[in-house]
Amino acid sequence: MLTDAVREAARRSVLCWLATVDAKGQPNVSPKEVWAIADEQHVVVAHIASPISARNIAQQPQVCLSFVDVFVQKGFKLLGRAREVRAADPEFATWAKPLLAMVGQRFTIHSVLVIHVKSVSAIVAPSYRFYPDDTTEASQVVSGMRAYKVQPAKQENP
């Protein structure tokens, strides 16, 4: 389910957005900086400063995690069920391993939000659909770099 294309898009995405809902149906969307695709069915998210996400998952495990490469303007939406694995749990080290590799000593990971992915769907900027003859990944990168005022990196002469 979490194919090479999904993995590559995730690798290029700086943040993901985790949507949860509390017991009363109130939604919460929170950016997550430390996350990884753990295997073909699971995504792991570090609980660094996520008390609302963790509380909501305990009450209502259905979640939506999305990520987009802001330049190419494509990504994926993952729907699934999440659970919290705390630092004292025997399986914590296994789930936290890719996250700890990312943060080292920079952050304390209080727990890991483990998402069992049930479905994956593409996220695509409207330009790809409405202007398919004019829209390419390259043109979207140029547009995104212009919008974000990003300059291409200058290559040094050897």
Side-chain angles (χ1 to χ4, degrees):
M1 186 172 301
L2 297 173
T3 64
D4 288 342
V6 175
R7 289 173 183 272
E8 178 57 24
R11 188 190 63 71
R12 291 191 324 261
S13 300
V14 176
L15 292 174
C16 73
W17 297 89
L18 181 63
T20 61
V21 62
D22 68 17
K24 294 181 181 180
Q26 181 65 41
N28 180 68
V29 177
S30 179
K32 306 300 181 196
E33 181 180 4
V34 181
W35 62 286
I37 294 178
D39 60 31
E40 292 77 25
Q41 295 183 326
H42 296 92
V43 173
V44 289
V45 178
H47 169 3
I48 294 169
S50 305
I52 295 171
S53 297
R55 183 193 69 215
N56 286 354
I57 286 168
Q59 297 172 353
Q60 185 65 261
Q62 290 84 358
V63 299
C64 176
L65 182 138
S66 61
F67 53 91
V68 173
D69 177 321
V70 297
F71 293 108
V72 175
Q73 299 177 38
K74 289 182 179 179
F76 289 92
K77 176 175 80 169
L78 314 177
L79 298 178
R81 294 180 61 85
R83 64 188 175 93
E84 182 178 19
V85 175
R86 298 172 196 264
D89 294 339
E91 61 186 315
F92 178 82
T94 300
W95 291 116
K97 186 175 182 177
L99 305 173
L100 291 167
M102 295 169 71
V103 301
Q105 300 299 313
R106 184 172 179 187
F107 296 113
T108 298
I109 297 177
H110 303 291
S111 64
V112 177
L113 307 175
V114 179
I115 302 167
H116 182 218
V117 177
K118 302 290 187 178
S119 72
V120 176
S121 57
I123 297 173
V124 181
S127 295
Y128 286 103
R129 291 191 176 119
F130 291 117
Y131 304 101
D133 295 336
D134 301 328
T135 306
T136 64
E137 288 188 0
S139 71
Q140 290 298 86
V141 169
V142 168
S143 175
M145 292 181 81
R146 188 177 326 114
Y148 292 115
K149 298 180 178 24
V150 174
Q151 299 294 319
K154 293 182 181 178
Q155 294 188 3
E156 295 181 26
N157 293 333

